[in-house]
Amino acid sequence: MKQERELYAKGHLVFTFIRGLHTVIEEDIKIRLKKDHGLLYPAFKILWILSFEDKMNMSEISEITLTNISNTYRQLVKLKDMDLVTIGSNEDARIREIRLTDKGERLVQTILRDHSNRTDLNLLPFLSNIPKEDLDIFIEVLTDLSRSLLGDKYTSWALNTSEYLKES
């Protein structure tokens, strides 16, 4: 019983720390997006995801954003109205092809360039101070957690996009 309580308490710490870190990092990104580009974070997440893919459907986007299809649909309509994405025609909205427009692609590239050149994300200076071996182990643990809890598709997408960012 004591071991179960200890494991439960450690699970609580993992959840609480990850949630807190997510909130702080997301807030840094939100401030920059709103200030520099007039864009809200949920919309940007979709643009960001589409920048790595030639096309996706609404269900696939929902799976990667970890949001429900209704929220994804609302964001896509706003992005379409801003001429940042195109939404193909199909009777079933969940499988319509979604693509970035040229304007959407340019916006994502501008945001990526701006963040790479003058980042004020609080996470990056901290990560640069962690020994490479420790950071690699931490990422390995997170990858295992992601694969177990979120599945291969989400985890593979994260790993593939990370590799793309390293090479670009």
Side-chain angles (χ1 to χ4, degrees):
M1 184 70 159
K2 183 162 175 65
Q3 283 181 321
E4 290 172 354
R5 298 291 265 167
E6 187 174 323
L7 189 58
Y8 186 78
K10 287 180 181 181
H12 163 75
L13 284 176
V14 168
F15 168 76
T16 304
F17 289 150
I18 288 174
R19 187 163 195 291
L21 291 170
H22 176 269
T23 301
V24 168
I25 294 165
E26 186 176 296
E27 195 58 34
D28 283 347
I29 295 169
K30 280 181 186 179
I31 291 168
R32 174 71 69 76
L33 287 172
K34 184 74 171 165
K35 185 178 93 177
D36 294 351
H37 306 285
L39 199 60
L40 298 177
Y41 184 71
F44 175 71
K45 274 196 322 189
I46 292 172
L47 294 177
W48 177 255
I49 288 165
L50 287 170
S51 74
F52 293 102
E53 307 291 335
D54 184 39
K55 64 183 179 206
M56 293 180 87
N57 65 45
M58 207 174 306
S59 295
E60 292 168 328
I61 293 169
S62 289
E63 186 175 354
I64 299 299
T65 59
L66 302 174
T67 58
N68 66 48
I69 199 103
S70 303
N71 289 337
T72 301
Y73 177 75
R74 281 192 295 277
Q75 292 303 319
L76 284 168
V77 168
K78 290 175 189 176
L79 291 169
K80 182 178 184 284
D81 291 345
M82 297 168 71
D83 192 33
L84 298 173
V85 300
T86 61
I87 301 173
S89 59
N90 190 306
E91 205 170 296
D92 186 348
R94 295 170 297 178
I95 59 172
R96 291 180 185 161
E97 263 185 19
I98 315 294
R99 295 176 185 264
L100 278 181
T101 62
D102 289 341
K103 181 180 175 183
E105 181 66 36
R106 283 191 308 272
L107 178 62
V108 172
Q109 291 308 314
T110 298
I111 292 169
L112 177 58
R113 185 190 66 239
D114 289 351
H115 277 268
S116 297
N117 291 338
R118 64 170 179 80
T119 187
D120 54 2
L121 296 177
N122 293 319
L123 175 69
L124 300 182
F126 179 77
L127 290 179
S128 68
N129 290 325
I130 296 175
K132 182 188 179 323
E133 300 79 28
D134 291 347
L135 186 56
D136 289 345
I137 290 169
F138 180 64
I139 290 172
E140 188 177 321
V141 169
L142 290 174
T143 302
D144 289 346
L145 273 170
S146 177
R147 189 165 273 119
S148 295
L149 299 174
L150 301 168
D152 282 330
K153 186 171 185 173
Y154 181 87
T155 305
S156 293
W157 184 87
L159 293 170
N160 291 338
T161 55
S162 174
E163 285 303 314
Y164 172 81
L165 289 169
K166 278 192 248 180
E167 294 168 8
S168 62

